[in-house]
Amino acid sequence: MTHVDPRMQPCIDNCLDCYSACLSTAMNHCLQVGGKHTEPSHFRLMMACTEICRTTAHFMLIGSPHHVHLCRECAEICDECAEDCERIGDVDECVEACRRCAESCRQMAA
């Protein structure tokens, strides 16, 4: 039985953590707070971040060589999401998860 390359596991974990943190924050915090937390551009970015993180983890889990391209894009989107969440404020869990994911994805894409 083939398992995931152990060098990928931290990145997979960070992608899934970011997916969970951003989705949960968006759906349970941002929607309740409203205002700048639900600005269309901000909310779309959070949803893009959740999806690229989930998809990137999926590609690593199935052993696709295309994970490298997705990791590059994931790092870029996570960086952008972290910056925008920092601008919005009061969503530290999302900011931290995005930064961890971006860094691990940059390492996987190198």
Side-chain angles (χ1 to χ4, degrees):
M1 180 173 187
T2 304
H3 295 282
V4 173
D5 183 334
R7 294 171 294 176
M8 286 185 190
Q9 195 60 55
C11 190
I12 291 167
D13 293 342
N14 285 328
C15 284
L16 293 175
D17 287 347
C18 190
Y19 162 73
S20 178
C22 287
L23 186 60
S24 179
T25 298
M27 294 298 140
N28 296 302
H29 177 74
C30 293
L31 286 177
Q32 288 177 351
V33 173
K36 61 186 177 180
H37 288 84
T38 54
E39 290 172 350
S41 62
H42 174 70
F43 208 79
R44 278 189 203 101
L45 178 57
M46 287 188 79
M47 292 301 96
C49 185
T50 63
E51 190 56 39
I52 194 67
C53 289
R54 182 173 66 156
T55 301
T56 301
H58 181 93
F59 270 62
M60 286 185 279
L61 285 166
I62 65 171
S64 171
H66 295 282
H67 78 273
V68 174
H69 312 294
L70 287 169
C71 281
R72 266 189 221 106
E73 188 63 25
C74 189
E76 185 177 326
I77 292 171
C78 283
D79 281 336
E80 189 177 332
C81 190
E83 287 175 23
D84 205 48
C85 283
E86 202 165 49
R87 174 187 69 83
I88 295 292
D90 198 29
V91 287
D92 294 339
E93 181 184 3
C94 188
V95 172
E96 292 168 17
C98 285
R99 288 196 174 129
R100 278 191 308 273
C101 185
E103 182 56 34
S104 62
C105 278
R106 269 191 290 280
Q107 290 174 10
M108 285 304 300

